[in-house]
Amino acid sequence: MSQGSRNLPHFFLGSTGQAEPFTSRGGGGGGPDLPELDRQAHGQKLMGELNEVKAASKVIEESVGADHISGPIGIQIEFKGLPDIELAFQSLANEQYQDAAKNIEIMNVVKREDSTVATIFVPEGKIGKLDQKITDYLEEKKNKNGDPIDNKALINTIDSIRQATLEALWTDDPEVFPQRDDETVWWEIWLPVRGNRQAIIEDFSRYSRAAEMEVSSSFVEFPERTVLLAKGSRQQLSSSVVIINSIAELRLAKETADFFDALPLADQRDWADELLERAEFSDESAVRICILDTGVNAGHPLLAPLMNEDDSYVVEPEWDTADADGHGTEMAGLAAWGDLTEVLVSTEPHQIPYRLESVKLLRHSGDNGGRHLGDITAQGVSLPGIDKPNCNRIFSMALSAKDTRDRGRPSAWSASLDGLAVDYVNEGLDPRLIVVCAGNVSGNLTEMKTYPEFNLVEDIHDPAQAWNVLTAGAYTEKTNITEPDTDHYSVLAPEGGLSPFSSTAVTWLQQAPVKPELVLEGGNAAADDLSAAHMPSLSLLTTNADMNQRLLTTTRATSAATALLSQMAAEIMAEYPGIWPETVRALLVHSADWTEALKAQFDHGNTPRQKHAHLLRCCGYGVPSLSRALKSAGNSLTMVIEDQLQPFHKTKGKPVKTRDMHLHELAWPIDLAGWTVSSSCHKM
């Protein structure tokens, strides 16, 4: 049997693993050597700077103490590391008390040019802990065995100490920090918890509103942070030490697109009717693709068989479920049918073994209106699960922030998606498969003409950097321009190449996740001597929201790829009922491969390892194959193990160590050449 004959089910081994202790082989090397400094001069300098901070702290305690605040009184302190030396910031807050309000807490750590800068919150009465660290350093303190306990590993990495300003709390791209004191913007405020989450929220909100700022009433909760939005200026944020001391991090809030296309409405309706006649739907299917978007017009004739009236939800009670923007309905059409161009020209029966749902997160781009997108998404994800808890869902979200400044760093929105995917709130009881778009390159068609170099500097958008979601980029097989009077145009991307619309992660930080994991059809662009251009013949065909004008329209880019990836995931869920969301993700990634065009386009690096690393940053693991994801072949077996293990553990005061590996017993043939096949159990 050839490997192409994929008609065998995958081998599901089940939860059969037996845990065994595992110890990894450690690598060599170490960190950079500490600089040798004049102990007395350096220590006295830092002590003088700390004394200035202590004086400021006393003023804060006296002024704030006269007023009532719910959270702890304290001061934010900025520690700047020496150039090109890793600041040992963990040592600044290495004592933990049961009462979290008494803890010195690290608020944020950022890189500024060649130095590390850490901002810490020191509660009232605890600044003496820092004073003692410097004193022990100056006195070269030793323990009873004569070993140094002088904090040299910390002190010799510190360049300066000062009271933190608003700029010290900024962890976003420095270029987007508001330049004028009176410039009013929406800020993304990350608040600490300090043992009493609600108290910190109340303090920040009360003092900010007293400064005439607008504070959102909705927020996103993480174990150690609360994220909310506030509208105001630098001047207003700096107007109270309570406001500044309530903030752990500060960021800028983000805002949140031929033949059949040209047919008259009546002709489009005829083609749709013909497709419906040979389509077979699964009305009782428990598999759902939930479109998180601008709503879906479920009355569309190609969508109505896949949605009931109660399958549409909204995050704002006063909204209706209709899609006035059009984007959500376009995504629903692709998730249901794939590229309708291929489906309409076929004459074969067409089965859809899943159904659709819609959650209207936004009415149009930028419609979050002061609500954090992480909070909106979390609410949207919860709605269908509460209403119909026994369905197996793929959440498909082709929405992203407009800017790309995160460069792979976690954001509040991406962290929200990470928590939703693993069901952090319920300790992993109900994990979810969430498919998101990588985001598109900017709409500058002149710059797009420099493809693919242009794509290499266009970063993937928030929240696609979330580790636990499946991120879709785009490639294309569309190279045939059919519009009249277009002889002077040529396609930008080769067949099998990266879509001109797809952003990449080439400039991301090294420790960032591999994104996108997969690339799917996102359409191509054409170009003449002046600029690039969109062409319907190079796009995907889908359902149109305004059915009075036309039933079909074209779409493209990573939004389209996201809907197609969600459709693939639904096919796998329908084939293997009860499969884990993590397994669906794994099967899709496992099935992928790079096209020859992708390998030729991004052949950067001197070694195979470097070339593969560059490919991963451009197009992930490649183009997924539904046939490989669904079935095994006689000489190509996919074995699936759905099990849990604890690979690492940490004990107090010690570094993280490896813990468990799993061994599985398999029934394994011994003699395939004989007339009879015996077997025994082998561990692997």
Side-chain angles (χ1 to χ4, degrees):
M1 181 184 293
S2 69
Q3 188 167 332
S5 301
R6 289 187 172 272
N7 55 7
L8 300 175
H10 296 323
F11 180 27
F12 281 76
L13 189 58
S15 180
T16 61
Q18 297 181 4
E20 298 284 346
F22 171 73
T23 303
S24 65
R25 296 180 179 179
D33 294 333
L34 284 175
E36 286 300 328
L37 304 175
D38 184 320
R39 184 183 291 261
Q40 292 303 312
H42 184 60
Q44 291 295 345
K45 170 185 175 293
L46 296 182
M47 184 64 82
E49 293 172 346
L50 184 61
N51 285 335
E52 293 181 13
V53 174
K54 287 164 66 176
S57 177
K58 187 173 182 180
V59 172
I60 291 173
E61 291 170 8
E62 291 174 351
S63 61
V64 176
D67 196 1
H68 173 72
I69 67 171
S70 303
I73 299 172
I75 188 171
Q76 305 266 46
I77 306 177
E78 176 187 305
F79 287 79
K80 182 181 179 182
L82 287 164
D84 300 318
I85 298 296
E86 196 66 34
L87 178 66
F89 58 86
Q90 295 289 359
S91 301
L92 294 168
N94 54 4
E95 292 186 13
Q96 299 293 309
Y97 300 91
Q98 281 193 329
D99 183 357
K102 296 180 180 179
N103 289 332
I104 297 175
E105 183 181 359
I106 297 170
M107 294 290 96
N108 66 74
V109 180
V110 296
K111 277 281 189 182
R112 297 211 182 112
E113 296 178 349
D114 54 358
S115 297
T116 303
V117 180
T119 303
I120 68 170
F121 175 78
V122 182
E124 183 179 15
K126 297 297 180 181
I127 203 167
K129 295 285 185 180
L130 302 177
D131 191 304
Q132 188 62 51
K133 289 180 183 292
I134 299 177
T135 299
D136 292 345
Y137 172 80
L138 287 168
E139 296 177 355
E140 301 186 47
K141 185 176 181 180
K142 294 179 172 60
N143 62 19
K144 61 182 180 181
N145 297 323
D147 300 320
I149 50 172
D150 57 359
N151 305 301
K152 180 181 177 180
L154 166 64
I155 305 300
N156 271 22
T157 66
I158 300 174
D159 181 60
S160 63
I161 304 171
R162 66 173 185 172
Q163 182 180 1
T165 60
L166 202 64
E167 287 84 348
L169 304 174
W170 185 256
T171 59
D172 210 331
D173 186 340
E175 292 187 2
V176 298
F177 185 74
Q179 297 301 305
R180 300 195 324 270
D181 284 343
D182 60 349
E183 181 181 356
T184 298
V185 298
W186 277 101
W187 305 82
E188 184 176 271
I189 312 289
W190 293 60
L191 304 178
V193 175
R194 294 177 189 157
N196 190 337
R197 186 187 300 273
Q198 194 57 39
I200 304 300
I201 295 173
E202 289 175 0
D203 287 343
F204 174 82
S205 300
R206 182 157 63 93
Y207 277 80
S208 296
R209 288 182 177 126
E212 299 184 344
M213 293 182 66
E214 182 179 344
V215 182
S216 172
S217 58
S218 67
F219 49 83
V220 181
E221 291 187 7
F222 300 114
E224 297 179 355
R225 294 289 184 264
T226 306
V227 184
L228 51 78
L229 301 182
K231 187 178 183 180
S233 66
R234 286 170 44 181
Q235 189 174 44
Q236 288 171 302
L237 277 176
S238 303
S239 64
S240 167
V241 292
V242 174
I243 295 176
I244 290 182
N245 288 347
S246 297
I247 300 173
E249 297 183 43
L250 198 58
R251 306 183 187 185
L252 189 66
K254 297 185 175 74
E255 298 178 3
T256 62
D258 178 43
F259 169 76
F260 293 107
D261 183 55
L263 288 175
L265 174 60
D267 290 349
Q268 288 188 347
R269 192 176 299 279
D270 289 341
W271 281 94
D273 289 343
E274 188 278 332
L275 173 57
L276 290 170
E277 288 177 3
R278 53 187 170 85
E280 182 179 332
F281 304 100
S282 301
D283 294 342
E284 303 303 320
S285 175
V287 178
R288 306 291 179 99
I289 301 177
C290 183
I291 309 294
L292 305 173
D293 212 287
T294 59
V296 171
N297 287 342
H300 192 291
L302 292 178
L303 301 178
L306 295 160
M307 298 182 70
N308 295 327
E309 187 175 340
D310 61 351
D311 287 329
S312 295
Y313 307 87
V314 294
V315 295
E316 295 291 349
E318 64 272 18
W319 292 357
D320 59 35
T321 60
D323 178 19
D325 179 88
H327 190 262
T329 302
E330 292 173 10
M331 296 304 103
L334 291 177
W337 298 95
D339 186 352
L340 275 167
T341 305
E342 302 169 7
V343 183
L344 289 174
V345 298
S346 171
T347 58
E348 298 295 320
H350 190 90
Q351 292 185 333
I352 300 181
Y354 45 83
R355 295 184 62 76
L356 297 181
E357 293 174 331
S358 166
V359 178
K360 190 172 182 176
L361 297 185
L362 304 171
R363 292 168 297 184
H364 51 77
S365 179
D367 188 38
N368 48 317
R371 288 191 63 190
H372 198 283
L373 291 165
D375 175 51
I376 294 172
T377 307
Q379 180 187 352
V381 166
S382 70
L383 292 173
I386 294 171
D387 189 33
K388 300 181 182 71
N390 296 321
C391 292
N392 300 317
R393 290 182 175 84
I394 299 97
F395 291 93
S396 182
M397 189 176 78
L399 303 173
S400 67
K402 292 182 178 179
D403 61 73
T404 60
R405 64 183 185 264
D406 293 295
R407 294 186 62 211
R409 297 174 303 170
S411 69
W413 196 4
S414 74
S416 294
L417 288 182
D418 275 326
L420 291 168
V422 301
D423 193 22
Y424 178 85
V425 171
N426 296 311
E427 298 183 344
L429 183 64
D430 185 23
R432 303 173 177 92
L433 179 58
I434 304 176
V435 182
V436 303
C437 65
N440 304 328
V441 299
S442 69
N444 189 316
L445 295 176
T446 302
E447 291 184 346
M448 184 185 286
K449 193 173 181 295
T450 64
Y451 165 94
E453 287 74 17
F454 180 51
N455 302 69
L456 301 183
V457 296
E458 289 283 309
D459 286 352
I460 287 172
H461 299 231
D462 184 31
Q465 72 271 33
W467 286 82
N468 299 317
V469 305
L470 195 54
T471 300
Y475 90 118
T476 187
E477 299 282 351
K478 297 181 179 293
T479 57
N480 187 21
I481 300 175
T482 60
E483 285 80 2
D485 301 321
T486 55
D487 292 343
H488 59 295
Y489 280 96
S490 59
V491 293
L492 272 181
E495 184 175 348
L498 189 72
S499 170
F501 307 105
S502 194
S503 55
T504 66
V506 173
T507 69
W508 276 15
L509 304 173
Q510 185 176 1
Q511 64 270 27
V514 171
K515 296 289 175 174
E517 285 94 343
L518 301 168
V519 289
L520 293 92
E521 182 63 69
N524 207 338
D528 60 10
D529 293 337
L530 299 177
S531 71
H534 300 154
M535 296 279 184
S537 60
L538 300 177
S539 304
L540 293 84
L541 191 70
T542 187
T543 46
N544 187 50
D546 188 352
M547 293 167 282
N548 294 321
Q549 297 295 321
R550 56 198 302 109
L551 289 185
L552 306 175
T553 188
T554 55
T555 190
R556 62 192 66 84
T558 60
S559 290
T562 302
L564 296 181
L565 184 54
S566 302
Q567 181 195 33
M568 275 194 179
E571 293 276 0
I572 298 171
M573 276 194 177
E575 180 72 20
Y576 298 103
I579 192 173
W580 289 8
E582 301 94 325
T583 306
V584 177
R585 172 177 171 166
L587 287 170
L588 285 165
V589 174
H590 176 74
S591 76
D593 201 0
W594 296 308
T595 65
E596 292 303 316
L598 289 172
K599 289 188 283 188
Q601 279 186 307
F602 305 112
D603 186 29
H604 298 269
N606 298 320
T607 66
R609 182 182 182 90
Q610 290 173 342
K611 293 178 180 181
H612 287 171
H614 187 69
L615 266 169
L616 286 170
R617 290 297 187 193
C618 295
C619 47
Y621 298 95
V623 182
S625 164
L626 183 58
S627 63
R628 282 200 297 268
L630 281 176
K631 297 290 185 179
S632 291
N635 60 351
S636 178
L637 171 68
T638 297
M639 183 172 66
V640 179
I641 299 172
E642 294 181 322
D643 205 349
Q644 300 181 24
L645 79 160
Q646 183 175 341
F648 303 103
H649 71 114
K650 188 179 188 305
T651 54
K652 189 174 182 181
K654 295 183 179 180
V656 174
K657 293 185 177 181
T658 53
R659 172 169 162 157
D660 291 342
M661 66 176 181
H662 274 186
L663 295 179
H664 299 266
E665 288 193 351
L666 299 179
W668 203 257
I670 288 188
D671 182 12
L672 290 174
W675 288 283
T676 59
V677 178
S678 58
S679 64
S680 65
C681 288
H682 291 258
K683 285 189 176 181
M684 65 170 293

